[in-house]
Amino acid sequence: MSPKVSQAYKEERKAIILEGALHCFIEKGFQATTIDDIVRHLGISKGAIYSYFASKEEMYIQMADDKMNAMLENSTELFKTMPSAADQVRYMYGRFRNQSLNELRRWMAFHLEFMLYAARQPHLTERWNEYADKALVFIQDIMDGGKQTGEFRSDLDSAAAARLFWSIRDGLALQYMLSGEEADYRRTIDDMESMVFRYMLS
């Protein structure tokens, strides 16, 4: 009889595998990376990986979901001491400013590659939308809160505002993905923040 494995051990092993997959995705790109690449990098058997993840696609989705959940959990906890919706939005822009261009570029390169890959596969598109919807609902809730407190205009379409928020953010990331200086990037985030507030308050 094989020994019983604790949940903590399983989570630790999954985290190690995801870290290895992340390294390979950054080095080679999502599509070029194979399970064999991850096996070689980690020095473990293919069976050990498949006991936790059925595919590299599942690894990516888990990785992205973990990153999103951590952001939502940390932000939601902080927002308990930050009742102003406007301050919550400013906090999010602060997070963007604090992310270096190097970090942004590392993530965005294979993040975009996965999006294009998933767009051609309905089962991945569905999983991706579950992930993306969390981000939209998170910002929409902030917008709804700002409308209730009178901070944002009463006719604000919270759902549209949430899409606008992330669309501007993603567009900025694309503009700076291949070139651009850190100082210019931060100034552009400042301009983006001012523009979004004008939209919410006008």
Side-chain angles (χ1 to χ4, degrees):
M1 179 182 293
S2 59
K4 218 172 189 180
V5 177
S6 70
Q7 187 61 34
Y9 175 84
K10 291 179 182 178
E11 293 302 322
E12 182 181 353
R13 295 298 293 171
K14 285 176 70 174
I16 290 170
I17 293 169
L18 290 178
E19 191 63 33
L22 174 61
H23 172 87
C24 295
F25 291 157
I26 289 171
E27 289 292 311
K28 296 187 68 173
F30 175 79
Q31 286 192 259
T33 295
T34 65
I35 295 293
D36 286 334
D37 291 325
I38 300 168
V39 164
R40 279 192 294 271
H41 175 71
L42 290 172
I44 63 177
S45 71
K46 192 177 289 189
I49 288 181
Y50 282 129
S51 65
Y52 292 99
F53 299 100
S55 64
K56 69 176 184 178
E57 290 83 359
E58 187 177 323
M59 289 183 209
Y60 177 85
I61 290 170
Q62 183 68 61
M63 193 184 301
D65 209 40
D66 287 349
K67 188 178 177 72
M68 176 66 72
N69 289 340
M71 186 276 286
L72 296 179
E73 185 177 338
N74 293 338
S75 300
T76 301
E77 188 62 29
L78 184 62
F79 287 176
K80 292 177 182 177
T81 63
M82 195 185 295
S84 164
D87 285 344
Q88 292 171 10
V89 174
R90 291 189 183 97
Y91 165 78
M92 293 301 297
Y93 281 105
R95 286 182 64 103
F96 299 154
R97 270 186 290 269
N98 290 335
Q99 184 181 39
S100 71
L101 274 178
N102 282 339
E103 181 187 353
L104 179 70
R105 287 164 179 161
R106 281 179 62 202
W107 180 262
M108 283 297 292
F110 66 89
H111 182 70
L112 290 171
E113 188 182 357
F114 179 84
M115 288 176 70
L116 292 172
Y117 174 77
R120 300 181 182 95
Q121 303 189 55
H123 72 286
L124 289 179
T125 301
E126 185 177 345
R127 292 286 303 279
W128 176 263
N129 286 336
E130 291 172 5
Y131 157 81
D133 283 350
K134 292 181 182 180
L136 288 170
V137 169
F138 175 66
I139 297 299
Q140 185 173 336
D141 286 345
I142 296 176
M143 301 303 177
D144 284 336
K147 287 170 63 177
Q148 289 171 7
T149 60
E151 295 174 72
F152 302 150
R153 56 191 178 92
S154 59
D155 65 339
L156 181 69
D157 183 330
S158 297
R163 285 197 177 275
L164 176 67
F165 177 91
W166 287 117
S167 295
I168 295 174
R169 163 60 175 164
D170 292 345
L172 177 61
L174 279 173
Q175 288 293 317
Y176 281 88
M177 196 175 83
L178 296 180
S179 65
E181 299 299 323
E182 198 82 44
D184 291 336
Y185 169 67
R186 294 178 193 279
R187 276 196 297 272
T188 308
I189 290 177
D190 290 340
D191 290 341
M192 179 174 69
E193 181 178 2
S194 297
M195 180 171 60
V196 168
F197 267 98
R198 284 197 297 273
Y199 167 71
M200 294 187 302
L201 299 174
S202 60

